[in-house]
Amino acid sequence: MQIAFIGLGHMGGPMAVNLHKAGHHIQAFDLSPDACAKARAEGLTIAGSAEEALQGAQAVITMLPASQHVEGLFLGQGGGLLQKIAKGTLVIDSSTIAAATSQKVAKAAESLGIDFIDAPVSGGTGGAIAGTLTFMVGASSAQLERARPLLEKMGANIFHAGSVGAGQTAKICNNMLLGILMIGTSEAMALGVANGLDPKVLAEIMRRSSGGNWALEKYNPYPGVHENAPASKGYAGGFGTDLMLKDLGLAQENAMTMKASTPLGGLARALYAAHSLGGHGGEDFSSVIKLLQKPD
Ligand code: NAD
């Protein structure tokens, strides 16, 4: 299939490469010359603009930073890219954005005879490279079946969350829980270690007890507990504090709209914001433990 892939960053680059390796013909584009050069080195064809990437495309995939980028691209000046996309084309947006923005773009797309679906991902850059991402899809069943053969080349799990926007909602619920769990795990680890407990022993006790969770399983925020976790690599790589902050912001915006009560999500957002202001925005989000540790 001929695919226009727009947004070749940490996630989009390797996702596009996996589609290319599966035999699809990709016309890729990114505003960043560096991202384009990296993708070209991996064998992708780079278009001169998003519009040029559309030429002959039967599907369009976007992997952009935030709501404003997706809305700007598709609905921006002069009607945006939607006006240039051929009727009947499938558009898959895998960016993590507000559900309301996905629904707004999908509505405009529908009026033009274009299938726009949201398919945000979980699994990080490792999952993007390995092709093992989890997709949370907001679409009709028929639209999901159209997208499935492409999603299968980039991911290992595909969930149908509901109609358009539902993928985004599932994504922010999961990341709100993850953000809260990481802070809770950090508090418990910091308290135990301050009392003289060996971090590995404490981590193992909690992992096998009622406090067990994903962070204790494979992503402990305390350095040295999990050899491959960002905490053991100076909090490099992984999922950045600023990305977690963005997702918690989306969760709080949504909670306000829904008049939902998410007190721990709100507190978690405030703690990650303070941590980011302290200069840790680019570090993995598990570095939030630094806010909670006793100084040496
Ligand atoms: P990134 O910043 O590395 O990549 C985004 C790319 O989009 C950049 O290269 C940028 O130049 C490009 N871009 C922006 N506007 C554009 C436009 N109008 N046209 C063409 N290119 C444009 O971000 P990322 O880490 O790849 O994340 C992408 C999305 O995936 C985000 O919404 C993020 O929240 C989500 N996500 C990221 C991770 C992760 O671990 N990095 C995990 C899950 C989900």
Side-chain angles (χ1 to χ4, degrees), residues 153-201:
K153 297 292 181 265
M154 301 181 282
N157 301 299
I158 299 163
F159 290 107
H160 190 186
S163 57
V164 72
Q168 300 294 355
T169 305
K171 167 80 186 173
I172 57 165
C173 290
N174 179 70
N175 278 22
M176 184 176 79
L177 178 59
L178 172 64
I180 294 167
L181 278 175
M182 188 56 82
I183 293 169
T185 304
S186 296
E187 275 186 21
M189 288 298 299
L191 179 64
V193 172
N195 277 276
L197 266 65
D198 180 319
K200 283 190 177 175
V201 172

Side-chain angles (χ1 to χ4, degrees), residues 63-180:
M63 193 51 165
L64 303 175
S67 300
Q68 66 269 27
H69 303 95
V70 175
E71 186 166 345
L73 178 74
F74 287 112
L75 305 178
Q77 276 188 340
L81 205 64
L82 275 188
Q83 299 293 337
K84 314 274 179 356
I85 296 175
K87 204 175 170 178
T89 304
L90 171 68
V91 180
I92 304 171
D93 178 40
S94 282
S95 326
T96 302
I97 64 170
T101 305
S102 298
Q103 286 157 352
K104 185 176 173 184
V105 178
K107 200 169 168 206
E110 193 180 2
S111 70
L112 296 165
I114 297 165
D115 276 336
F116 178 96
I117 72 171
D118 55 306
V121 301
S122 175
T125 48
I129 294 166
T132 55
L133 292 169
T134 291
F135 284 93
M136 306 165 206
V137 181
S140 69
S141 299
Q143 288 170 331
L144 171 58
E145 291 320 310
R146 268 193 92 184
R148 192 182 292 280
L150 298 180
L151 301 181
E152 279 174 347
K153 297 292 181 265
M154 301 181 282
N157 301 299
I158 299 163
F159 290 107
H160 190 186
S163 57
V164 72
Q168 300 294 355
T169 305
K171 167 80 186 173
I172 57 165
C173 290
N174 179 70
N175 278 22
M176 184 176 79
L177 178 59
L178 172 64
I180 294 167

